[in-house]
Amino acid sequence: AMYVPYDETLGVHPQSEGFTTHQPWDFAATTLEQYPLLLHFPYFDLYRKQVSKQADLVLAMHLRGHAFTTEQKARNFAYYERLTVRDSSLSACTQAVMAAEIGHLQLAHDYLGEAALMDLGDLEHNTRDGLHIASLAGSWIALVAGFGGLRERDNTLAFTPSLPPALSRIAFTITFRNRRLHVEVAPSTVVYQLRSGQPLQIFHEERSVTVSGEGPLSCSLTRRPDLDPPAQPAGRAPATRRASETAS
């Protein structure tokens, strides 16, 4: 029942009524020392400009993906990437999920690294005050919902996995309605294995399949090209992750 406005001219969803009519924030005149913005500029200025602290509308596309078309997701993601400054540690994991879904796999990997290393790298310069527990949980979301492609659909699970170039494998186990399902994703295949519980019908790349205790189910992956990512505000792009920097 939530209302999400739509800008017919730009073909994107404003994160609030009239948002796309605001003047864009002057990122070129903003120094790195002035982030986070909310500590250096009054809310009166921030709320009447096109700038986003975190990936709000992008989160809606993750949680309620059926409400947006594939084209709308791509346009929205590109639009908000250039406006989102990630002054919140809760943003990178959501951006990782949607970047992976759209096809920006390297960018998704970069955002995963930011979520996972928030405290090890003291990226927010405030780890002395305590761990960013939600960001640590967000790294699981980035892996499982992002590269594992996990979504809930029609009261069951749906998967559209894809890995970035630097990752050769991810594996995870989830419990869903008294079933334990193990998922192992490689660059060209994914293996589903039911470790306990009754047979489970799931969706693999829009195709209905059934996983039972009789043995693992191997499915091929449709390899998607790693698209060139959209730009972020000056100085706010995530650090690039490479194979040598990826923890096993």
Side-chain angles (χ1 to χ4, degrees), residues 19-170:
F19 179 81
T20 52
T21 66
H22 298 338
Q23 180 182 353
W25 183 264
D26 190 352
F27 295 107
T30 306
T31 66
L32 295 181
E33 290 72 25
Q34 291 177 303
Y35 291 98
L37 296 179
L38 59 89
L39 298 183
H40 297 90
F41 299 94
Y43 282 108
F44 179 77
D45 287 342
L46 295 172
Y47 284 167
R48 59 179 182 162
K49 298 287 178 60
Q50 286 196 64
V51 60
S52 184
K53 174 188 175 185
Q54 58 199 44
D56 295 325
L57 192 280
V58 176
L59 177 61
M61 296 194 299
H62 171 199
L63 298 179
R64 306 298 290 175
H66 68 277
F68 305 86
T69 68
T70 300
E71 293 76 15
Q72 288 172 344
K73 289 177 183 178
R75 287 196 301 269
N76 284 336
F77 184 82
Y79 190 86
Y80 285 100
E81 274 294 284
R82 64 183 180 86
L83 301 175
T84 303
V85 295
R86 300 195 317 288
D87 280 344
S88 168
S89 62
L90 304 179
S91 192
C93 61
T94 291
Q95 287 169 279
V97 170
M98 291 310 301
E101 178 177 335
I102 291 165
H104 303 303
L105 297 175
Q106 178 59 53
L107 180 60
H109 191 192
D110 298 342
Y111 280 134
L112 164 64
E114 182 169 302
L117 299 175
M118 183 65 62
D119 293 311
L120 288 175
D122 195 14
L123 301 183
E124 295 285 336
H125 310 293
N126 58 5
T127 301
R128 64 184 181 277
D129 297 325
L131 297 178
H132 294 79
I133 296 299
S135 184
L136 296 177
S139 62
W140 187 92
I141 294 172
L143 284 164
V144 175
F147 300 134
L150 171 65
R151 301 290 189 276
E152 187 175 3
R153 172 179 168 185
D154 297 337
N155 297 316
T156 188
L157 301 178
F159 298 88
T160 308
S162 57
L163 294 183
L167 293 183
S168 60
R169 171 185 175 271
I170 64 168

